[in-house]
């Protein structure tokens, strides 16, 4: 196990090195500039389309709203509770600033991913719409880039078991054992049963469950987090000061905090930001490709909200609660750090609340990522692989719940980067098409997509 840890650790150091951070932030910034900062300027329009998107407006399997909720079910997970805490523990308060930067450029990335996903989607042997990086590489870039689509599908199908299965199941098992004394094996079995009941029904059932659970859990967590911030209102100004100061200057050791260089703030802020909102990974467009939408830009405007909601809202509340409460200097890390921050402010309530929130967040992430991994496998082997993959996914949950957390986090972190590389290359190459359809959409007031929808 030590040898495996060393190998994965060495690979992680390379794939999450300076070049990866430049690639993620660079491609996102390039797309944001190319779109003339439209994802930020049209944020209100995106929210308007999201609420209208509860009704189907085109061909697909799920409503635009449920497509976003499915994508959010996969993004709002342990990264929002344990991931943010780990970033602050390893990189200091400045890591939160770099999570924000990742999200602001990531909105353009997520928008572009969904535009490409809908524009280049196709129907599978069962007549269902399928899409995502492997399909927009195949249908958008042509045969000479086929290897890149295959690489993404291979990385995605394996990575899903890390980021979307093992990490989530492990997070639930650990937090329920710590707070309620639940045996990790029992938690693993319960998660297997609940997951099986949903994912065996396919994307329609996943979308329906996500459409109900995600808004409920997100709003509940945001309200609880705001209460913690109100209780620590006098420290919020100082917390923001620490975030901005330590984004550009080293964090000195304080209490149980060991101190961190600026590079650590950048590295862990960006890495955990991407782990949380998944902008650039290429996972969310797999869900958006199934949306019953008028066209690519409509779904892109809805898709970009995923990054904003996940990081700018949910992760910010977690990070600011940890810093404002003073818990960040305690020496705790992961979910235990977030739990401590909430418990300090809401004695007797905070700890259990975080345990329940993390459990629901992680469960919906397991559902969303099961679909992502399945579609990657379907791209490689066809629809015949779907049922065996779902069964394997359910079984893997038990092993994730009872495995070593440290190695799973490291493996998931590494596989994230391996997925992102082919996707970011594809987005850069397809950017002229994204810019073109976006310009046409706004030049015609959206009529270009209505005409395309009518033609279909």
């Amino acid at each position: 196990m030590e040898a495996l840890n060393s190998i994965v650790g060495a690979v992680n150091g390379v794939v999450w090195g300076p070049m990866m951070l430049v690639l993620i932030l660079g491609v996102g910034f390039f797309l944001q500039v190319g779109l003339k900062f439209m994802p930020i300027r049209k944020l209100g329009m995106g929210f308007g389309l999201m609420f209208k998107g509860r009704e189907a407006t085109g061909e697909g399997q799920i409503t635009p709203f449920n497509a976003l909720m499915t994508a959010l079910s996969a993004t709002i997970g342990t990264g929002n509770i344990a991931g943010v805490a780990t970033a602050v523990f390893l990189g200091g308060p400045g890591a939160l600033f770099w999570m924000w930067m990742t999200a602001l450029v990531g909105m353009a990335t997520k928008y572009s991913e969904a535009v490409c996903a809908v524009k280049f989607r196709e129907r599978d042997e069962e007549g269902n719409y399928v899409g995502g990086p492997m399909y927009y590489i195949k249908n958008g870039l042509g045969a000479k880039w086929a290897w890149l689509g295959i690489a993404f599908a291979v990385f995605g199908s394996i990575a899903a078991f890390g980021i979307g299965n093992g990490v989530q199941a492990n997070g639930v098992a650990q937090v329920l054992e710590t707070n309620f004394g639940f045996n990790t094996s029992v938690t693993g079995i319960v998660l297997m049963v609940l997951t099986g009941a949903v994912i065996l029904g396919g994307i329609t059932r996943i979308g329906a469950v996500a459409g109900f659970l995600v808004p409920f859990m997100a709003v509940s967590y945001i309200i609880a987090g705001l209460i913690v911030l109100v209780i620590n209102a006098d420290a919020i100004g100082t917390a923001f000061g620490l975030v901005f100061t330590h984004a550009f200057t080293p964090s000195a050791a304080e209490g149980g905090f060991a101190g961190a260089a600026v590079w650590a703030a950048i590295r862990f802020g960006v890495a955990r930001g991407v782990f949380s909102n998944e902008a650039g990974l290429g996972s969310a467009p797999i869900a958006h490709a199934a949306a019953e939408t008028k066209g690519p830009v409509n779904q892109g405007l809805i898709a970009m909200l995923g990054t904003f909601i996940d990081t700018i809202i949910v992760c910010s509340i977690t990070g600011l609660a940890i810093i404002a409460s003073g818990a960040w200097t305690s020496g705790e890390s992961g979910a235990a750090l977030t739990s401590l921050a909430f418990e300090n402010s809401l004695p007797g309530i905070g700890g259990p609340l975080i345990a329940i929130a993390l459990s629901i967040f992680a469960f919906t992430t397991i559902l969303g990522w099961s679909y992502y991994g399945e579609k990657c496998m379907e791209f490689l082997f066809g629809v015949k692989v779907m049922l065996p993959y779902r069964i394997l996914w359910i079984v893997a949950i038990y092993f994730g719940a009872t495995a070593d957390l440290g190695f799973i986090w490291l493996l998931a972190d590494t596989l994230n980067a391996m997925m992102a590389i082919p996707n970011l290359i594809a987005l850069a190459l397809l950017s002229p098409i994204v810019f073109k359809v976006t310009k046409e959409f706004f030049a015609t007031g959206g009529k270009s997509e209505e005409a395309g929808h009518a033609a279909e």
Side-chain angles (χ1 to χ4, degrees):
M1 193 65 185
E2 281 184 23
L4 191 59
N5 257 309
S6 299
I7 294 168
V8 176
V11 174
N12 185 275
V14 174
V15 297
W16 275 120
M19 288 305 295
M20 172 52 75
L21 303 191
V22 168
L23 187 62
I24 290 171
L25 294 175
V27 171
F29 185 70
F30 166 71
L31 292 169
Q32 192 69 274
V33 171
L35 291 165
K36 299 176 182 175
F37 296 92
M38 180 279 295
I40 296 173
R41 291 187 293 107
K42 298 293 183 181
L43 191 61
M45 183 180 181
F47 276 105
L49 288 170
M50 179 187 76
F51 290 113
K52 290 178 186 174
R54 285 173 289 186
E55 298 296 328
T57 55
E59 295 291 323
Q61 281 73 59
I62 54 177
T63 64
F65 177 80
N66 278 356
L68 175 62
M69 291 305 111
T70 300
L72 272 175
S73 76
T75 56
I76 298 181
T78 55
N80 297 79
I81 293 178
V84 177
T86 302
V88 173
F89 173 73
L90 295 172
L96 187 58
F97 173 86
W98 293 106
M99 289 185 82
W100 292 337
M101 292 303 101
T102 305
L104 289 177
V105 300
M107 285 174 64
T109 308
K110 192 72 71 82
Y111 167 83
S112 302
E113 287 176 331
V115 167
C116 290
V118 175
K119 184 169 181 61
F120 295 108
R121 66 185 180 178
E122 60 182 59
R123 290 181 185 270
D124 65 15
E125 298 162 51
E126 297 182 344
N128 296 321
Y129 275 110
V130 288
M134 53 282 197
Y135 290 97
Y136 53 71
I137 290 170
K138 170 190 165 189
N139 299 326
L141 295 179
K144 67 180 179 180
W145 291 97
W147 62 274
L148 199 65
I150 293 169
F152 176 87
V154 170
F155 292 140
S157 58
I158 301 170
F161 282 97
I163 182 177
N165 190 313
V167 166
Q168 309 302 329
N170 197 286
V172 175
Q174 295 297 325
V175 81
L176 290 182
E177 183 182 43
T178 302
N179 287 271
F180 304 110
F182 291 172
N183 184 282
T184 55
S185 297
V186 173
T187 300
I189 293 168
V190 172
L191 276 176
M192 286 172 64
V193 173
L194 293 174
T195 302
V198 179
I199 70 169
L200 292 175
I203 185 59
T204 305
R205 194 179 300 169
I206 292 171
V209 172
F212 169 75
L213 270 182
V214 173
F216 168 75
M217 70 178 187
V219 171
S220 299
Y221 182 77
I222 289 167
I223 291 171
L226 289 174
I227 291 171
V228 171
L229 292 178
V230 168
I231 291 170
N232 295 285
D234 58 334
I236 290 177
T238 303
F240 273 106
L242 288 169
V243 170
F244 287 104
T245 301
H246 293 305
F248 303 99
T249 57
S251 304
E254 185 179 342
F257 178 67
V262 175
W263 167 242
I266 298 172
R267 183 195 168 193
F268 292 108
V270 174
R272 296 303 179 192
V274 172
F275 182 90
S276 178
N277 64 48
E278 298 173 14
L281 257 65
S283 50
I286 298 173
H288 289 289
E292 299 165 306
T293 181
K294 286 181 181 177
V297 176
N298 268 281
Q299 198 58 34
L301 288 165
I302 294 173
M304 70 187 190
L305 299 178
T307 301
F308 182 84
I309 294 168
D310 177 274
T311 306
I312 302 298
I313 297 178
V314 182
C315 285
S316 293
I317 285 174
T318 302
L320 289 172
I322 289 169
I323 299 165
S325 68
W328 71 281
T329 61
S330 66
E332 292 285 357
S333 182
L337 176 54
T338 306
S339 184
L340 177 65
F342 276 68
E343 184 65 26
N344 284 347
S345 304
L346 300 167
I349 302 172
L353 190 149
I354 289 299
I356 295 166
L358 189 144
S359 298
I360 298 173
F361 282 14
F363 172 61
T364 58
T365 298
I366 290 171
L367 301 182
W369 268 92
S370 71
Y371 181 71
Y372 296 163
E374 176 188 303
K375 291 299 138 186
C376 286
M377 288 295 284
E378 182 185 333
F379 178 80
L380 296 169
F381 304 108
V383 295
K384 63 182 181 292
V385 79
M386 287 164 58
L387 183 59
Y389 188 88
R390 290 174 190 176
I391 293 169
L392 180 61
W393 184 266
I394 294 165
V395 172
I397 290 170
Y398 179 83
F399 294 98
T402 54
D404 173 58
L405 179 65
F407 177 70
I408 289 176
W409 267 110
L410 182 65
L411 183 63
D413 216 25
T414 305
L415 290 170
N416 268 7
M418 301 296 280
M419 280 180 69
I421 293 169
N423 181 53
L424 290 167
I425 291 171
L427 288 177
L429 293 172
L430 290 169
S431 60
I433 294 172
V434 174
F435 300 154
K436 181 174 180 286
V437 298
T438 304
K439 186 176 180 181
E440 287 174 355
F441 177 88
F442 287 104
T444 62
K447 290 190 171 79
S448 61
E449 294 208 341
E450 288 176 13
H453 174 54
E456 287 180 7

